[in-house]
């Protein structure tokens, strides 16, 4: 079971913001990328029991791809909460709605969950 306190993700958030800002991405898209990253990062920590998820960020040239690696081979599935007041169960729906593409792939170490965002030239 994961620790009660999630790992600090401020460094990766700062680096993501720095990369996108230096590439002249609009602030609202930068915030969208941060939110989607946060959802995947917390999911890796909470649901895949990964104490420190590994994050890979790539930008080429107008497409951002963020991958979060965790220790569980179980692929995520968007849940449909039966309780409209449930405090969890909407993260992957949020990532799907905010991003242009997202997906997951199992590997020998666990899995990689990723999203892509594009910005107009």
């Amino acid at each position: 079971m994961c620790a009660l306190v999630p790992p600090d993700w401020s460094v990766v958030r700062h680096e993501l913001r720095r990369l996108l800002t230096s590439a002249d991405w609009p602030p609202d898209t930068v915030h969208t990328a941060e939110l989607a990253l946060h959802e995947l990062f917390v999911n890796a920590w909470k649901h895949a029991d990964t104490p420190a998820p590994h994050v890979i960020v790539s930008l080429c040239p107008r497409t951002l791809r963020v991958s979060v690696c965790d220790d569980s081979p179980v692929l995520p599935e968007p849940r449909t909460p039966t309780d409209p007041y449930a405090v969890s169960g909407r993260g992957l729906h949020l990532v799907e709605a905010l991003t242009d593409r997202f997906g997951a792939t199992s590997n020998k170490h666990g899995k990689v969950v990723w999203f892509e965002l594009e910005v107009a030239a």
Side-chain angles (χ1 to χ4, degrees), residues 63-65 95-96 98-103 114-118:
T63 301
L64 169 72
R65 183 178 180 108
V95 172
E96 182 177 30
L98 291 172
T99 64
D100 294 306
R101 288 168 294 285
F102 94 101
W114 56 269
F115 70 83
E116 291 182 346
L117 279 173
E118 295 181 12

Side-chain angles (χ1 to χ4, degrees):
M1 182 58 91
C2 59
L4 295 176
V5 178
D8 182 9
W9 73 293
S10 61
V11 171
V12 72
R13 181 184 65 225
H14 172 76
E15 288 302 313
L16 178 64
R17 184 182 311 127
R18 185 189 60 73
L19 174 69
L20 296 178
T21 302
S22 68
D24 294 322
W25 279 46
D28 60 327
T29 308
V30 174
H31 295 300
T32 297
E34 289 177 323
L35 180 57
L37 167 60
H38 182 262
E39 286 298 327
L40 296 188
F41 191 87
V42 169
N43 280 355
W45 166 74
K46 184 176 180 182
H47 300 296
D49 201 25
T50 302
H54 184 76
V55 178
I56 302 166
V57 177
S58 62
L59 181 64
C60 35
R62 304 303 286 177
T63 301
L64 169 72
R65 183 178 180 108
V66 175
S67 301
V68 178
C69 309
D70 66 46
D71 300 332
S72 171
V74 178
L75 296 177
E77 292 186 27
R79 292 187 287 168
T80 304
T82 55
D83 177 1
Y85 301 105
V87 296
S88 66
R90 295 174 183 84
L92 291 178
H93 294 288
L94 182 62
V95 172
E96 182 177 30
L98 291 172
T99 64
D100 294 306
R101 288 168 294 285
F102 94 101
T105 307
S106 293
N107 61 36
K108 66 181 180 176
H109 303 291
K111 72 175 162 297
V112 177
V113 184
W114 56 269
F115 70 83
E116 291 182 346
L117 279 173
E118 295 181 12
V119 68

